[in-house]
Amino acid sequence: MTRSADPSIVLGIDPGYDRVGWAVGKVDAIYTVKLLEYGLIQTQKADDIFTRYTQIQSELSDILEKHAPSSAGLETLFFSKNTKTALRVSEARGVIIAELLQHACSVHEYNPVQVKQAVTGYGQADKAAVEKMVRLQLHIAQQNVMDDTMDALAIVLTHSTQRKLEKRLL
């Protein structure tokens, strides 16, 4: 049973089939993000791909039930030379999107340049600059955070910024 979505709660997801980074934030009236929780869905390489997709779906469902976000930002898939990997990530994105829609969560996609622009102000920023700004804006200490989770945190900030821009245009 899905709880009613909270319009101030947003979810950021960095999709994959090996690892799915995720972050949940509460956006206040001035579009400042208060981080609620973040983490990583890690699947086992030894498991078959459908078991991995099932794990992603199940763990994402738990996150959605717990936090009841109204919207989610999702990183778009960038072109990959490894066709098999790109296909698996695309399939995982489909599982993720279906689960978001099942929980009445609106889905918004952002490409890496949009994320870098929103977080650092420069669309060609490197990973170190993005991580530094994410840590500063979300008050995350220097503890170890996996790249996939850091990307999800950046997507939460991007989604919040985009919502603010959309509000200004109304």
Side-chain angles (χ1 to χ4, degrees):
M1 182 80 157
T2 304
R3 294 183 350 193
S4 295
D6 182 338
S8 68
I9 306 295
V10 298
L11 173 66
I13 298 177
D14 180 36
Y17 65 95
D18 212 22
R19 293 185 308 261
V20 176
W22 61 272
V24 181
K26 185 173 181 75
V27 182
D28 66 19
I30 58 171
Y31 296 91
T32 301
V33 177
K34 178 185 178 211
L35 191 57
L36 299 178
E37 189 176 13
Y38 58 93
L40 189 70
I41 299 170
Q42 175 79 55
T43 65
Q44 300 301 311
K45 292 183 190 318
D47 289 342
D48 69 83
I49 194 64
F50 301 108
T51 300
R52 296 170 89 175
Y53 294 156
T54 300
Q55 178 187 348
I56 291 167
Q57 179 273 327
S58 176
E59 290 188 36
L60 180 57
S61 180
D62 291 346
I63 294 162
L64 290 163
E65 288 290 330
K66 179 178 181 182
H67 293 287
S70 63
S71 62
L74 189 68
E75 189 169 55
T76 59
L77 179 64
F78 58 91
F79 176 75
S80 173
K81 290 182 182 178
N82 185 334
T83 307
K84 184 176 180 183
T85 298
L87 181 60
R88 294 297 192 206
V89 173
S90 292
E91 291 171 345
R93 284 182 88 250
V95 169
I96 291 165
I97 291 168
E99 192 62 29
L100 292 169
L101 296 174
Q102 182 67 32
H103 282 80
C105 192
S106 65
V107 179
H108 307 266
E109 296 181 299
Y110 304 102
N111 66 48
V113 172
Q114 289 174 301
V115 173
K116 292 173 185 179
Q117 178 69 38
V119 175
T120 71
Y122 178 57
Q124 301 304 313
D126 63 15
K127 276 206 169 282
V130 172
E131 179 174 342
K132 179 179 180 180
M133 292 307 295
V134 166
R135 287 182 183 278
L136 284 170
Q137 292 177 59
L138 295 175
H139 312 288
I140 298 172
Q142 291 302 316
Q143 75 262 25
N144 244 359
V145 177
M146 292 289 290
D147 285 350
D148 306 273
T149 304
M150 191 58 69
D151 289 349
L153 291 161
I155 293 165
V156 165
L157 290 171
T158 302
H159 189 50
S160 169
T161 300
Q162 189 62 34
R163 288 178 62 190
K164 182 177 183 178
L165 292 173
E166 289 169 0
K167 180 79 170 174
R168 284 185 182 168
L169 294 175
L170 295 179

